[in-house]
Amino acid sequence: MDTTMCLGVEGVKKTILYGGTGEIPTFITGSKVKFHFRTMLCNDDRTVIDDSKKVDMAMEIVIGNMFKLDIWETLLASMRIAEVSEFWCDITHTGMYPILSKSMRHIAEGKDPTDWHIHTCGMANMFAYHTLGYPDLDELMKEPQPLIFVLELLKVSQPSEYNRETWALSDGERVKAVPVLHAQGNKLYKQERYDEAIQKYKEAIICVKNVQTKEKAWDVPWMKLEKMGNTLTLNYCQCLLRTEEYYEVIEHTTDILNKHPGTMKAYYLRARAHIEVWNEAEAREDLDRVLDLEPGMKKMVTRDLGVLKMRMEGKNEEDRQKYRGMFEKKRQQEMARNAEADEEEQQQETERSTGADEVEQQTGESEVSDTHQT
């Protein structure tokens, strides 16, 4: 089947490649849609930008949930289950695709698709760093163009038919979920179930950041969410310390301090992470800032300075042993090479001596033969 039609939406053309089965499903707010997609440029080569089948990861969206590329909701709502259709969309519908593509690629690569620790939405991050991290997407962002989407509809689930994850919640539901997830994370932390606590804090942070991206930066609602997100991030970092993810702690706390340099707890957690990775100067500097901001922390800072001293002494002794072993190994290798050289020289001397004896013997035999002839 190859039928081209218009959907009554300006700038969109649909070509059915495989008709699918049954009637068109019901699409309402909250319906979860699962599908495969392939995105191509409208050039002679039909260059493929993304293909969910190649990464073996179908896409899922929730209808009415402010999806980054809302034209996909319209396209999917015209399809039957198992239908495969090709949609040509002009630039009025494709401008946000590079942002969406970045998130989907992060998911496929096992990264956090929300980039929540950067504290910016995808668009703001692009303007701050002038790149999305992928050259082809940067080019597409710089010069928007029509795109071709090949979609295969796999499944449509109604709101009552599935348990809604945090990504599928509305903004109001996300805000309500944050204190619940926060409390669950705190309880798990006290029970020393750190990996589970990490997931709860992370879910809460994602909820906050998804809502925050829709607020104007530094306005009162944005600042309220920022404070909430920072508190959750610092709790998240406490769990990371327990799971020995020290460099990630340094990354997140540094991000907070770049925007909020008076956050004492961020300095303290970063100092503890620096201690664990033997960054002595950085740890001391952060602990000094902790005392400047909160003199009442003197007892804990003194304790941590003691830990730092012991760790550095242990590291220095370990380094000395390591270098001593290296020097000893090098000395033994040098001795072995010298012994081999001496043995080789001795063997050559023996060969030269043997050769001289043979020449002398042959000369003597020659003289005896000459005498007999005479």
Side-chain angles (χ1 to χ4, degrees), residues 78-264:
S78 73
M79 299 177 68
R80 293 174 168 80
I81 298 298
E83 178 182 325
V84 180
S85 288
E86 178 178 297
F87 299 88
W88 176 91
C89 298
D90 70 16
I91 59 175
T92 61
H93 302 294
T94 62
M96 290 297 292
Y97 183 78
I99 304 285
L100 170 65
S101 177
K102 175 191 173 182
S103 296
M104 293 186 296
R105 292 182 187 188
H106 277 193
I107 292 172
E109 293 165 6
K111 299 178 182 177
D112 186 347
T114 62
D115 286 335
W116 58 265
H117 61 276
I118 298 175
H119 298 291
T120 54
C121 66
M123 186 69 76
N125 190 45
M126 184 198 69
F127 287 133
Y129 298 101
H130 310 293
T131 180
L132 290 170
Y134 301 93
D136 60 334
L137 299 183
D138 289 338
E139 187 65 27
L140 196 57
M141 199 76 197
K142 189 187 305 179
E143 297 183 12
Q145 54 185 287
L147 295 174
I148 296 171
F149 302 115
V150 177
L151 307 181
E152 179 184 355
L153 183 58
L154 302 176
K155 184 178 180 181
V156 178
S157 302
Q158 302 308 322
S160 60
E161 297 174 344
Y162 69 95
N163 293 323
R164 301 178 71 189
E165 300 174 42
T166 51
W167 65 267
L169 300 177
S170 67
D171 285 350
E173 290 169 327
R174 287 185 178 119
V175 171
K176 291 179 181 178
V178 169
V180 176
L181 293 166
H182 191 170
Q184 290 173 342
N186 290 348
K187 183 177 180 180
L188 290 165
Y189 180 86
K190 291 176 181 177
Q191 295 173 347
E192 300 183 0
R193 295 159 64 183
Y194 302 119
D195 289 331
E196 295 172 73
I198 282 173
Q199 292 307 311
K200 294 298 180 182
Y201 289 136
K202 192 170 184 178
E203 281 187 65
I205 292 166
I206 291 172
C207 285
V208 170
K209 295 307 166 186
N210 280 334
V211 176
Q212 190 182 23
T213 57
K214 301 177 182 73
E215 301 290 348
K216 186 177 179 181
W218 304 105
D219 277 0
V220 172
W222 188 93
M223 285 299 299
K224 184 178 179 181
L225 291 164
E226 177 78 353
K227 183 178 180 181
M228 195 183 302
N230 287 345
T231 299
L232 288 162
T233 301
L234 292 172
N235 285 5
Y236 176 78
C237 287
Q238 282 187 271
C239 292
L240 293 177
L241 281 174
R242 297 289 189 172
T243 56
E244 301 182 1
E245 298 291 344
Y246 304 122
Y247 289 104
E248 193 172 347
V249 173
I250 293 170
E251 177 187 353
H252 293 313
T253 51
T254 298
D255 184 62
I256 290 176
L257 290 168
N258 285 339
K259 295 176 68 177
H260 307 285
T263 310
M264 184 276 295

Side-chain angles (χ1 to χ4, degrees), residues 315-363:
K315 182 69 165 57
N316 292 337
E317 178 60 28
E318 181 182 326
D319 289 344
R320 280 194 292 270
Q321 294 294 337
K322 178 181 177 181
Y323 292 132
R324 184 180 293 121
M326 288 171 59
F327 291 142
E328 178 62 23
K329 183 177 181 180
K330 186 175 181 180
R331 188 181 69 83
Q332 291 178 355
Q333 289 174 340
E334 186 66 27
M335 289 175 62
R337 282 195 294 269
N338 290 338
E340 289 176 3
D342 291 344
E343 184 178 347
E344 184 177 350
E345 184 177 352
Q346 185 176 0
Q347 184 176 354
Q348 291 175 351
E349 180 63 29
T350 301
E351 290 174 353
R352 285 197 294 270
S353 176
T354 302
D357 290 343
E358 289 176 353
V359 169
E360 183 176 348
Q361 182 179 357
Q362 290 174 0
T363 303

